[in-house]
Amino acid sequence: GNNVLHSIIEAASVMGFEVAVATPHGYDPDQAIVAMAAARGGEIDLVRAAKDAVAGADVVVTDTWVSMGQEGGAAKLKAMAPYQVTPALMTGADPAAVFLHCLPAHRGEEVVDAVMDGPQSAVWDEAENRLHAQKAVLLWCLGRI
């Protein structure tokens, strides 16, 4: 969803890396967030073809296209279908590129099994790292750190 996308765009502005966002018309990221990132030095490229976004990429990230209970889900799934992360799409990225997804994933929608479970996937490491960060926040909240 857009929350993950907006977080990535904001991180680009702070950390100074380039983000290429591939999305169909009507599903663009919030322009205020893109403008803020650009003002801070982030490089945000909005493209319409998934292959253009992954060209030479070090990291390929996707998220669930339709959240539970979201209206217009069928139309969004149809619009997003050309953006599915497949092995063919991953061949356009850097050969050492990793695939990330914040989970839960809808296999067969935004990503296929061959990528999700493939050698370039770092999805489970990503999830494990998030778990450790969440445990640290809980310890902080409890006054243990």
Side-chain angles (χ1 to χ4, degrees):
N2 273 352
N3 290 337
V4 170
L5 175 60
H6 292 153
S7 296
I8 292 169
I9 291 171
E10 289 175 13
S13 71
V14 174
M15 300 173 75
F17 57 85
E18 179 182 353
V19 174
V21 177
T23 185
H25 289 284
Y27 298 97
D28 292 352
D30 183 308
Q31 289 306 301
I33 292 174
V34 173
M36 177 273 307
R40 292 181 175 172
E43 187 174 339
I44 315 301
D45 299 320
L46 179 60
V47 297
R48 297 296 171 202
K51 67 179 179 58
D52 295 337
V54 303
D58 296 313
V59 180
V60 176
V61 181
T62 192
D63 191 13
T64 301
W65 292 338
V66 178
S67 297
M68 191 179 333
Q70 183 179 5
E71 293 183 23
K76 188 173 185 184
L77 285 175
K78 183 177 180 182
M80 299 297 284
Y83 300 87
Q84 183 181 63
V85 182
T86 64
L89 183 64
M90 289 297 293
T91 63
D94 185 276
V98 297
F99 170 75
L100 296 175
H101 191 300
C102 64
L103 300 178
H106 294 153
R107 292 168 180 258
E109 289 180 11
E110 69 270 10
V111 62
V112 298
D113 289 344
V115 173
M116 185 83 172
D117 301 324
Q120 290 177 282
S121 178
V123 171
W124 307 116
D125 291 332
E126 176 185 10
E128 180 183 10
N129 289 338
R130 189 173 59 243
L131 174 65
H132 297 309
Q134 291 165 343
K135 289 185 329 188
V137 169
L138 284 172
L139 287 173
W140 178 80
C141 289
L142 295 171
R144 300 272 177 99
I145 57 173

